[in-house]
Amino acid sequence: MFVVTSEEMRRLDRLTIEDIGIPAMVLMENAGRAIAEEVLRVAGRRGFGTGKKGGVLRGYGGPWDAEAGGGAQGAAERGDGGPWDAEAGGGVLPDRHRERWLVLAGKGNNGGDGFAAARHLMEAGIAVDVALAVPAAELVGEAAAQAAIAARFDVPCLDASASGAPLQWERYSGVVDALLGTGAAGAPREPYTALIRAANESGLPIVAADIPSGMDADTGAVHAPCIRAASTVALAFLKRGLVQYPGAEYAGQVTIAPIGIPSRLAREESVAVRYITAQSAADALGADPLRPRAADTHKGTYGHVMVAAGSANMMGAGLLAASAALRGGSGLVSWALPASLTSLAAIRPPELMLAPLAEAPDSTAGWAAVAPQALAGQASSRSALLVGPGLGRWKNDSAWLKRIWEETRCPLVVDADALNMAAEAADFSSWTAPEDRPTILTPHPGEMSRLMGVPTSDIQLNRIGAALRFAREHGVVLVLKGARTITALPGGCAYINGSGNPGMATGGAGDVLAGLIASLLAQGYPAGIAAALGVYLHGAAGDRAARLRPGGPASLLAGDIVAQL
C-alpha cells in the first residue's frame, strides 16, 4: 500500500484531473459515497467504539484497486460484504428512521466531500444535517458546487460559524468530520477549534473524512484539539500521519477508499513509502513472506550468520539473537563469544555453533580483551555479521567498533550496545557504510536520539523523516523500531510496518529482530528487503504468539516470538 504526503496527494489529485481527465467533481462524488458507506457500517455496529484503541487498518474491499486494499481479498479479510448486507458480516443494519447524523463541513475540498456524503446518507434513509463552519459565501470551487447540489436535495445546512447558533449534539447518532483535510497547516483556529472540542466531548462516534481534523497529515502529530475518530476513510491512499503515532490512535479504524485515482500514478510518480501488511508484503517487497524453498538446496544455500553478542551479565541477548537467526532460516549460525565466556553458553540449541575468540592475556577478560580485527577476520568467511546485543560497554569501545565498521567486509547488522558505541564516537557523523558492504542499523528511539544528537521527542515528531535523513547521510538501511517500525533505505524509500502488538514491548524482542534480519541478509536478500521483511515477520510472529498466550499480549516473552518465527 502506498503512503503519501499531503504534497504527493495534491500532485496525484491534479494529475488525475488534468492528465487523465477525471473531473474533480467525480472524485469528490466518489469520496462522499465512500464516507457515507462507512457511516452506515458504523451505524450498524452500535458500541463499536470511539476510536480510543485506534490504529487498525482494513481494506475497503471494493473491486477497483487492490493496491489500496480493495478486491475480493480485501473484502474477505475485512469480513463484510458492504453496508447493506448484514448476512455478509456487516453487522446489524441501523434503524434508519432513528438515525440522525451531523456532518461538520469546512470551506475546502474536505467540506465538499462532507456535503456529498450528506446527500448519499439522506438517499440511504439516514437523517442528516450539515453544520457549516464558515459562512456559506466563503465556499468556493467544488465545495460550493457540492453545497448547492445538497441544497437542491433539501439537505439541511446549519450555520456553525462563530456567529451561528449552538449545535444540539444530543439530537445526533454520530458525526462526520469533514472540517480540515490534508491541505490544512498548523493548529486549528476558531470556529474549527470549538467544533472539534464539542464533537469529541459529545461522546458520539466520529467518522473522519481522509484525516481527523487537527492531525498533521505528514507526521501524525496531533494539535490541540484534534478529532478522536472511531474510523477514518483515507481517500485514495493512506496518508503518512494515519500510520504513525499518535495520529494512528486518533484515526481509529482506517479504511482505504478508492475514489478514481489510479494506483499506478503513485508508482509512476515515485511515491517512496509503503505500508506493509499480510496482503501488501509480497507486492511491496517483491519477496514472499512464506519464503518457499526449492527442493534441490542445502544448508550452504541459506548462508552462515555470525552473531557477536552477549556478555557475562547478558548472555540471554546473544542466545535470543542467535536463536532467531536459526529460526529465520539461515543454514548455519555461529555465536561468537570471548573464549572465557563460552562455558556460559553450554545450554544452547544444539544446532547453534560456538566461535570462541581469543582474549589478550594482559587484559580484563571479555569483549574488551578481544581484538576487533579478530572478530572481523572470523566474519570474513561468513555471509553476515550481527554485532551488538548484550555486548556491554568498556573503555574505548567506540574505537573498537569503528575497526569492526571499517574492516568487516560481509554484510553487517549493528544493534543495541554497538549502536551506543557508535553514537559516542567523536567522528560518528562522518561514518558511512562502504557501497559494496550492505549495512543495517536497528535503533529504538532512544538509541536513535543518541545517534543523531537530538532529543527523542524530536525523533518521534517525524519518525519517517528522521529515518530517511539518517539512512541517506550514512549510506545505511535504518530500522527505527517502535510502534509502526520504519525501515528507511539510503536511496529514499521507506517501509512502515503494520504487524506486531504492544506485548512485544518486552526485553529481548529487539535482539530477536536483529538476529532475524541478519539471517535474511545472510540468505541473500538485499539489505532493504531483509530489514523490512524481517520487521514484518517479527511482528507477525509476535501476533501469533500473543494469540496463543492465555494471558494475551501482556504475558508475551521474547522467546515466544522466536518460537513462532
Side-chain angles (χ1 to χ4, degrees):
M1 298 177 188
F2 290 106
V3 186
V4 300
T5 64
S6 54
E7 174 55 36
E8 287 170 338
M9 190 66 248
R10 282 191 289 273
R11 187 167 75 248
L12 295 171
D13 191 74
R14 185 177 65 252
L15 288 170
T16 301
I17 296 167
E18 296 178 358
D19 291 5
I20 294 178
I22 299 177
M25 284 293 283
V26 172
L27 300 179
M28 191 170 283
E29 190 71 13
N30 292 339
R33 181 173 177 83
I35 295 162
E37 289 187 344
E38 183 62 20
V39 167
L40 290 172
R41 290 190 185 99
V42 172
R45 295 173 178 168
R46 279 294 161 238
F48 139 88
T50 60
K52 294 184 179 179
K53 294 183 179 179
V56 179
L57 175 74
R58 64 184 172 92
Y60 181 82
W64 309 277
D65 189 357
E67 185 64 42
Q73 185 179 26
E77 288 292 326
R78 191 183 66 244
D80 69 56
W84 289 277
D85 186 0
E87 291 301 319
V92 179
L93 289 177
D95 180 347
R96 295 177 185 177
H97 297 293
R98 300 179 61 185
E99 289 284 325
R100 188 176 198 92
W101 279 65
L102 177 66
V103 177
L104 301 176
K107 68 178 181 179
N109 286 344
N110 205 239
D113 296 337
F115 275 106
R119 178 164 41 81
H120 285 296
L121 284 172
M122 196 171 75
E123 286 298 290
I126 300 288
V128 61
D129 294 333
V130 176
L132 188 54
V134 298
E138 293 188 20
L139 294 175
V140 295
E142 286 77 23
Q146 286 288 358
I149 296 170
R152 288 192 284 273
F153 271 73
D154 296 324
V155 175
C157 187
L158 310 176
D159 183 1
S161 65
S163 59
L167 297 172
Q168 296 177 299
W169 297 92
E170 66 278 3
R171 299 181 62 209
Y172 299 105
S173 309
V175 178
V176 172
D177 163 33
L179 289 170
L180 300 170
T182 58
R189 296 182 292 273
E190 293 293 356
Y192 294 95
T193 299
L195 288 172
I196 292 170
R197 288 200 177 101
N200 285 339
E201 292 168 1
S202 72
L204 298 170
I206 303 173
V207 174
D210 211 16
I211 63 169
S213 295
M215 176 193 295
D216 187 303
D218 293 344
T219 68
V222 294
H223 298 290
C226 179
I227 285 289
R228 271 193 175 272
S231 63
T232 296
V233 183
L235 302 173
F237 300 101
L238 283 170
K239 313 308 180 292
R240 288 189 182 185
L242 295 174
V243 290
Q244 298 181 87
Y245 284 89
E249 181 181 355
Y250 281 72
Q253 185 169 330
V254 177
T255 299
I256 308 168
I259 62 171
I261 299 176
S263 62
R264 67 172 176 81
L265 276 187
R267 189 175 290 107
E268 291 170 0
E269 290 299 304
S270 301
V271 172
V273 179
R274 305 287 285 271
Y275 187 75
I276 306 300
T277 66
Q279 289 72 46
S280 67
D283 177 69
L285 300 175
D288 187 343
L290 296 178
R291 294 164 292 153
R293 294 188 168 192
D296 59 340
T297 55
H298 53 84
K299 64 186 178 183
T301 306
Y302 300 105
H304 189 164
V305 178
M306 173 164 279
V307 177
S311 55
N313 295 324
M314 292 179 286
M315 290 296 286
L319 182 58
L320 285 167
S323 298
L326 281 170
R327 287 292 183 189
S330 286
L332 296 167
V333 178
S334 294
W335 186 4
L337 281 167
S340 63
L341 298 181
T342 54
S343 62
L344 299 178
I347 301 176
R348 67 184 190 279
E351 301 86 354
L352 180 57
M353 299 182 292
L354 288 181
L357 297 171
E359 296 157 280
D362 56 346
S363 302
T364 304
W367 283 106
V370 173
Q373 59 269 31
L375 174 58
Q378 284 240 21
S380 63
S381 61
R382 305 298 192 262
S383 308
L385 170 64
L386 164 61
V387 59
L391 282 184
R393 300 295 307 277
W394 60 91
K395 186 178 180 181
N396 297 324
D397 56 6
S398 295
W400 183 92
L401 181 69
K402 186 175 182 182
R403 291 287 298 274
I404 300 295
W405 181 280
E406 292 175 341
E407 298 185 17
T408 299
R409 304 320 307 163
C410 68
L412 177 66
V413 179
V414 182
D415 183 49
D417 287 325
L419 293 170
N420 292 323
M421 295 176 194
E424 293 182 13
D427 61 345
F428 177 68
S429 62
S430 66
W431 288 25
T432 56
E435 291 185 4
D436 61 347
R437 200 269 318 278
T439 304
I440 303 172
L441 273 62
T442 58
H444 58 57
E447 292 163 342
M448 188 70 170
S449 167
R450 292 187 281 276
L451 287 167
M452 296 190 73
V454 300
T456 303
S457 57
D458 288 359
I459 301 293
Q460 296 294 79
L461 279 175
N462 187 1
R463 286 167 53 82
I464 296 174
L468 284 169
R469 183 167 65 255
F470 185 96
R472 182 181 65 253
E473 291 175 353
H474 294 274
V476 301
V477 172
L478 192 285
V479 175
L480 179 54
K481 295 182 290 193
R484 305 287 166 81
T485 292
I486 309 296
T487 300
L489 280 59
C493 294
Y495 302 97
I496 305 172
N497 186 53
S499 64
N501 62 82
M504 299 176 72
T506 185
D511 306 322
V512 174
L513 175 60
L516 176 57
I517 290 173
S519 177
L520 295 171
L521 196 57
Q523 291 171 61
Y525 286 89
I529 304 305
L533 181 60
V535 169
Y536 169 75
L537 293 173
H538 179 255
D543 289 339
R544 288 191 294 272
R547 288 194 296 269
L548 293 172
R549 292 298 307 166
S555 65
L556 203 64
L557 299 178
D560 299 329
I561 302 171
V562 175
Q564 295 302 318
L565 287 175

